[in-house]
Amino acid sequence: MPVPAVPFRAQDVPDQSGRTVVVTGASSGLGELLAGTLAAAGAHVVMAVRSLDKGAAVRDALARTAPRENLELAELDVADLDSVRRFAAGLRDRGLDVLVNNAGTGGVERRTSPQGHELELATNHLGPALLARLLHEQLAGSPDPRIVTTGTNLYRSFPVRLGPEDLDGRRRWYRGGTYARTKTLHMTWVVEHQRRLSDAGSPVRSIAAHPGMVRTPMNTGLTSRRDRAVAAVLGRVWGAREPEQGARPLLFAATSPDVRPDLFAGPVGARDDALVGFEEFRAPVTDRALADLVWERTEELTAARSATRR
């Protein structure tokens, strides 16, 4: 039975006092909005940023509307697995309530991470997967622990071939489709992570939500004329939303007592509507055999250990 959409705005975020939230990619776009809104609601927000100088400028701006003491800067390049490990080690003795795996990239030339992985794969999947696993123990002590992933609903409109045997795209890579492939790949991992957490009796919930198409620097700052043209067309067809609108489903996923990890939250209705809708995940995200392959291959590439291993 369909789950009805619910109204949800920034002011509907429940009181977050006493909760600690990590937000990756917190120095621009959706991450900046999420960090500021959660800090204003009382959460202590660890702003995970690649550049501490840029992060400091963003924190200063956010401190105009949120308590400065609620905003903590920490360096993290989610594409660099060594950076992910250093960041997680810095939080080893901290209690955490929410991890928002928001950092992402798309529409870039084929490049590799410090570990030699294709950059979009490393940023959109490998780094977030490793971080989620490394912070499990810090999250597990919370009364309501959550890992929230910024996903995409592109896979519902375009055929996406995940190719777990070639995650790095060494044999098959094309610029226009790598973002959708790597984000869908990670959502497949997120849904499988939730299954494994549940099977292991962990209190941590792994949740995916999507902002729709949003006017963020990732979409508006494209360098290729072709990519800018494609983004403009898609923005007109799908009704590109402002960041404040796209952030609502993610805020719902991070804070609402009514969140369900088996449903994919996203914006619905007219662009000015403050509605969060819910839909069931579809293939390939729900393919169990494929998810097992993705999980095992991710284990190999990140060399991660997990309490949720079957």
Side-chain angles (χ1 to χ4, degrees):
M1 179 179 295
V3 177
V6 298
F8 195 85
R9 297 178 183 271
Q11 55 265 38
D12 296 319
V13 171
D15 181 17
Q16 297 296 294
S17 298
R19 290 175 69 76
T20 299
V21 182
V22 174
V23 179
T24 68
S27 61
S28 67
L30 289 171
E32 178 180 349
L33 267 173
L34 294 170
T37 303
L38 292 167
H44 182 85
V45 178
V46 180
M47 299 173 60
V49 299
R50 282 190 300 174
S51 167
L52 291 176
D53 288 341
K54 181 180 179 181
V58 171
R59 180 180 60 182
D60 289 344
L62 293 178
R64 297 173 192 146
T65 55
R68 186 181 182 86
E69 62 270 19
N70 286 3
L71 297 163
E72 174 187 350
L73 284 181
E75 188 173 16
L76 170 65
D77 180 354
V78 76
D80 182 347
L81 300 184
D82 290 336
S83 176
V84 172
R85 292 187 179 94
R86 287 193 298 271
F87 176 80
L91 296 173
R92 183 174 293 126
D93 299 323
R94 303 272 296 271
L96 304 177
D97 297 281
V98 183
L99 164 63
V100 182
N101 262 329
N102 167 76
T105 192
V108 298
E109 297 290 345
R110 194 185 196 288
R111 289 182 286 152
T112 56
S113 72
Q115 288 73 38
H117 302 302
E118 191 276 319
L119 189 65
E120 288 186 59
L121 174 76
T123 305
N124 297 337
H125 173 53
L126 296 180
L130 179 60
L131 184 59
R133 312 276 265 39
L134 291 177
L135 294 183
H136 177 267
E137 294 305 315
Q138 291 90 324
L139 288 162
S142 167
D144 183 15
R146 310 180 187 196
I147 300 169
V148 176
T149 293
T150 300
T152 179
N153 61 344
L154 284 174
Y155 82 102
R156 298 176 67 89
S157 303
F158 301 102
V160 177
R161 181 182 180 276
L162 297 186
E165 76 288 347
D166 183 33
L167 291 190
D168 270 325
R170 297 179 188 277
R171 298 193 298 272
R172 179 186 175 92
W173 181 91
Y174 58 102
R175 182 160 152 171
T178 301
Y179 175 79
R181 184 180 73 86
T182 55
K183 292 293 282 188
T184 305
L185 180 73
H186 190 60
M187 288 197 304
T188 303
W189 185 92
V190 166
V191 171
E192 177 63 17
H193 191 205
Q194 172 59 31
R195 291 192 194 104
R196 293 177 181 241
L197 288 168
S198 180
D199 288 350
S202 171
V204 180
R205 290 184 287 179
S206 183
I207 304 159
H210 75 90
M213 189 167 187
V214 181
R215 295 187 182 96
T216 62
M218 191 175 74
N219 291 322
T220 60
L222 297 169
T223 57
S224 160
R225 181 181 299 175
R226 175 184 176 277
D227 290 344
R228 290 197 300 271
V230 170
V233 170
L234 291 178
R236 288 194 296 271
V237 170
W238 286 339
R241 301 171 188 270
E242 295 304 320
E244 291 80 4
Q245 297 164 329
R248 290 169 186 156
L250 298 165
L251 289 169
F252 180 91
T255 66
S256 172
D258 300 320
V259 70
R260 286 176 49 179
D262 61 318
L263 295 176
F264 195 26
V268 294
R271 280 182 291 176
D272 293 334
D273 289 345
L275 291 176
V276 174
F278 310 94
E279 58 191 20
E280 294 183 350
F281 293 100
R282 298 181 182 178
V285 172
T286 53
D287 185 325
R288 296 291 301 274
L290 181 63
D292 278 338
L293 289 173
V294 169
W295 185 273
E296 293 306 324
R297 184 62 177 139
T298 303
E299 288 271 292
E300 295 170 8
L301 294 181
T302 61
R305 295 183 177 87
S306 173
T308 59
R309 181 188 292 275
R310 283 178 178 165

